[in-house]
């Protein structure tokens, strides 16, 4: 059985840090989602992360550090743009891709010559980093492809018995993974997340957006960051994103819906889908609630009696709403219907 420890207990923080120093793995809370952490410089520990998750070997990991002073141990070159972003957004939900130092294990980077790094904002994760004194690789603490975990209960649902410990730090405050920006050449957004693209552009100016943000990565292409390839964030049900006016969406779903389907939508739209099984995941007036509620709602619908989930995305694709739409498109493997 997996041990459930408390982020509020200093002894539990020390116990998790010792476990990680000894080459073990553990789930830790971050402000984004729970991460499955292991010593980033210990290939055996990192391989254990991949094994517990069932994660494809070509999907690189993000490395977490306690502060910018630890960056040079991982990054071979640190451009001035990275320092500007770190000053503005670290600690926080922003991962930056750098050329890696030679001693960063291939298993962390999936063989790429780059490494993604961030400073998490959750105090418990930072306490573990400081106590252990080692960088931690930490993808989301869930089975590969499933909705990410935003509570310790989610982690235990997926990984109980597969990992030694979970440090319970309460619900995650952001609810979607970190933004990933590549600074090895011209700045390029690889994954939208907790830091909006508009905020990054306030610091750096123009930033390109990788096609994988809104479309499928080619089957033979290697992802430069997590979440760029494969069906992600998805329950067992078939997810379809339904775009267009809500009234037309309701008419369409009244026609195709069955007792085995469900609607996932913002709270403001719920009344339009009368007669359907509806789960809401936040409010259009506060997009941050959509991000916080998304994965929990997808998990609520991950039941044997739901075979199809028709998902409504926020109409505004700016700010955190861009990340919400990205996660739903990935969950749907880019299956969309426009009504």
């Amino acid at each position: 059985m997996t041990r459930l420890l408390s982020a509020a207990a200093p002894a539990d923080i020390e116990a998790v840090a010792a476990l990680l120093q000894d080459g073990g793995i553990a789930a830790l809370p971050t402000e984004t989602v729970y991460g499955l952490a292991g010593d980033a410089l210990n290939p055996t520990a990192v391989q254990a992360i991949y094994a517990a998750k069932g994660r494809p070997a070509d999907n690189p990991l993000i490395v977490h550090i306690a502060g910018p002073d630890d960056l040079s141990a991982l990054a071979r070159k640190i451009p001035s743009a990275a320092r500007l972003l770190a000053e503005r957004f670290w600690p926080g939900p922003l991962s930056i891709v750098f050329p890696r130092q030679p001693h960063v294990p291939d298993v962390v980077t999936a063989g790429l010559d780059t490494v993604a790094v961030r400073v998490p904002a959750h105090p418990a994760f930072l306490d573990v980093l400081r106590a252990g004194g080692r960088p931690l690789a930490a993808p989301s603490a869930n089975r590969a492809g499933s909705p990410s975990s935003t509570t310790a209960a989610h982690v235990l649902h997926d990984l109980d018995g597969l990992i030694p410990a979970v440090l319970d730090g309460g619900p995650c405050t952001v609810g979607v993974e970190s933004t990933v920006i590549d600074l090895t050449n011209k700045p390029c957004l690889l994954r939208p997340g907790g830091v909006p693209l508009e905020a990054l552009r306030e610091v750096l100016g123009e930033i390109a957006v990788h096609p994988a943000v809104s479309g499928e990565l080619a089957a033979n292409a290697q992802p430069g960051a997590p979440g760029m390839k494969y069906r992600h964030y998805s329950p067992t049900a078939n997810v379809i994103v339904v775009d267009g006016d809500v009234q037309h969406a309701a008419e369409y779903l009244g026609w195709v819906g069955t007792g085995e389907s469900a609607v996932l939508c913002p709270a403001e739209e719920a009344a339009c889908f009368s007669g359907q099984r509806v789960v809401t995941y936040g409010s259009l007036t506060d997009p941050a609630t959509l991000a916080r509620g998304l994965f929990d709602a997808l998990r609520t619908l991950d039941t044997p009696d739901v075979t199809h989930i028709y998902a409504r995305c926020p109409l505004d694709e700016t700010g955190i709403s861009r990340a919400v739409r990205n996660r739903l498109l990935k969950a749907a493997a880019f299956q969309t219907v426009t009504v």
Side-chain angles (χ1 to χ4, degrees):
M1 294 288 290
T2 298
R3 295 173 62 200
L4 181 62
L5 304 175
S6 172
D12 285 356
I13 295 285
E14 293 293 335
V16 170
L19 171 65
L20 296 173
Q21 282 180 311
D22 289 342
I25 61 175
L28 305 179
T30 82
E31 76 281 22
T32 57
V33 299
Y34 275 70
L36 183 55
D39 183 346
L41 301 182
N42 181 338
T44 302
V46 177
Q47 287 166 353
I49 293 173
Y50 276 90
K53 284 178 58 69
R55 184 182 180 91
D58 66 346
N59 200 4
L61 306 183
I62 292 171
V63 179
H64 298 68
I65 57 176
D69 290 345
D70 298 333
L71 184 55
S72 60
L74 301 169
R76 192 171 69 247
K77 179 182 178 183
I78 305 173
S80 58
R83 298 189 187 280
L84 291 173
L85 292 178
E87 288 175 6
R88 175 82 175 268
F89 299 111
W90 281 1
L94 176 66
S95 298
I96 303 174
V97 176
F98 301 93
R100 66 164 167 148
Q101 292 283 14
H103 62 266
V104 176
D106 284 348
V107 66
V108 171
T109 68
L112 297 171
D113 194 37
T114 57
V115 61
V117 184
R118 86 176 184 103
V119 179
H122 198 288
F125 202 123
L126 289 171
D127 285 345
V128 172
L129 282 165
R130 292 166 184 144
R134 302 281 282 181
L136 296 175
S140 56
N142 59 313
R143 291 292 290 174
S146 297
S148 298
S149 298
T150 56
T151 68
H154 294 165
V155 180
L156 289 171
H157 178 274
D158 282 17
L159 301 176
D160 192 15
L162 297 175
I163 61 176
V166 178
L167 189 66
D168 187 353
C172 298
T173 55
V174 176
V176 293
E177 294 80 359
S178 62
T179 301
V180 181
I181 183 171
D182 186 351
L183 296 181
T184 57
N185 291 296
K186 293 182 179 180
C188 181
L189 180 75
L190 301 186
R191 180 179 76 184
V195 174
L197 176 61
E198 294 81 3
L200 298 176
R201 284 174 169 164
E202 288 177 3
V203 178
L204 298 186
E206 184 54 35
I207 297 171
V209 177
H210 196 283
V213 168
S214 56
E216 289 188 87
L217 198 65
N220 61 349
Q222 182 165 16
M228 294 182 69
K229 191 178 180 182
Y230 306 109
R231 186 185 187 214
H232 266 68
Y233 322 114
S234 189
T236 54
N238 187 31
V239 180
I240 302 107
V241 171
V242 181
D243 285 331
D245 175 82
V246 65
Q247 296 298 335
H248 288 108
E251 292 173 9
Y252 170 76
L253 295 184
W255 175 60
V256 301
T258 70
E260 296 178 333
S261 70
V263 177
L264 177 68
C265 67
E268 290 87 346
E269 296 187 353
C272 297
F273 300 103
S274 60
Q276 301 275 347
R277 178 174 178 177
V278 177
V279 171
T280 62
Y281 65 105
S283 171
L284 291 171
T285 62
D286 185 1
T289 64
L290 297 173
R292 281 197 298 272
L294 177 61
F295 291 135
D296 185 70
L298 284 170
R299 285 177 173 271
T300 297
L301 291 170
D302 196 5
T303 59
D305 61 325
V306 175
T307 61
H308 291 76
I309 299 170
Y310 295 95
R312 294 281 294 165
C313 292
L315 300 177
D316 180 10
E317 290 189 48
T318 61
I320 195 78
S321 296
R322 186 191 305 271
V324 172
R325 180 169 179 83
N326 169 266
R327 300 311 189 270
L328 281 171
L329 286 172
K330 294 287 187 181
F334 293 96
Q335 295 181 91
T336 61
V337 174
T338 301
V339 294

